[in-house]
Amino acid sequence: MPSLTPAPLAIILFQPDLADRPDRRSAIDLAHELQRAGAAVDVVAPMGGGPLRAELDPTVGQIDLAKRHAATSPLALARVVAERQPALLAVPREVVWVGRLALWLARSKAPLVVLTGEVKADLAAIRAAAPRSG
């Protein structure tokens, strides 16, 4: 008998790096907030190292694309999107083109949410873009 429990909302947060900057720190806070709300969250970065990596809760997925820059990441990000099939992809404004290209390459219909760097605004945007169950 199939389970009646719905799968958690799957979200990928793509970051150009995990440097200790206010907008990156906001994305990490957002990942924790989404995880506490029951979403399955993966933080994806071209290079997974950086000061903020240690800040991530172990229950938040961490994916290192093994790329030097965000500009060289679209195909690797597309592979992650195709494999994980997230309900949505969230990216900061500066790399929106990477997210769009990755979704196109993965042939994914997942919505793209542009992160502003403000946890409350980003959480509201993600909730608005998330598919409705039912």
Side-chain angles (χ1 to χ4, degrees), residues 37-83:
V41 183
D42 290 310
V43 173
V44 180
M47 292 297 277
L52 292 182
R53 181 178 184 154
E55 303 275 331
L56 278 169
D57 187 290
T59 60
V60 173
Q62 300 175 38
I63 300 174
D64 179 344
L65 297 178
K67 300 294 178 187
R68 292 185 65 113
H69 307 285
T72 59
S73 299
L75 185 57
L77 180 58
R79 287 185 188 121
V80 172
V81 169
E83 178 185 309

Side-chain angles (χ1 to χ4, degrees), residues 12-15 23 26-27 30 34 89-94 96 113-118 122-123 125-126:
I12 291 176
L13 295 177
F14 177 73
Q15 292 297 299
D23 59 335
S26 179
L30 176 63
L34 290 165
L89 172 64
V91 299
R93 185 173 313 281
E94 69 211 59
V96 166
V113 175
V114 179
L115 301 176
T116 65
E118 297 178 29
D122 292 340
L123 190 56
I126 287 172

Side-chain angles (χ1 to χ4, degrees), residues 92-106:
R93 185 173 313 281
E94 69 211 59
V95 291
V96 166
W97 70 272
V98 174
R100 284 189 181 131
L101 183 54
L103 289 173
W104 181 79
L105 289 168

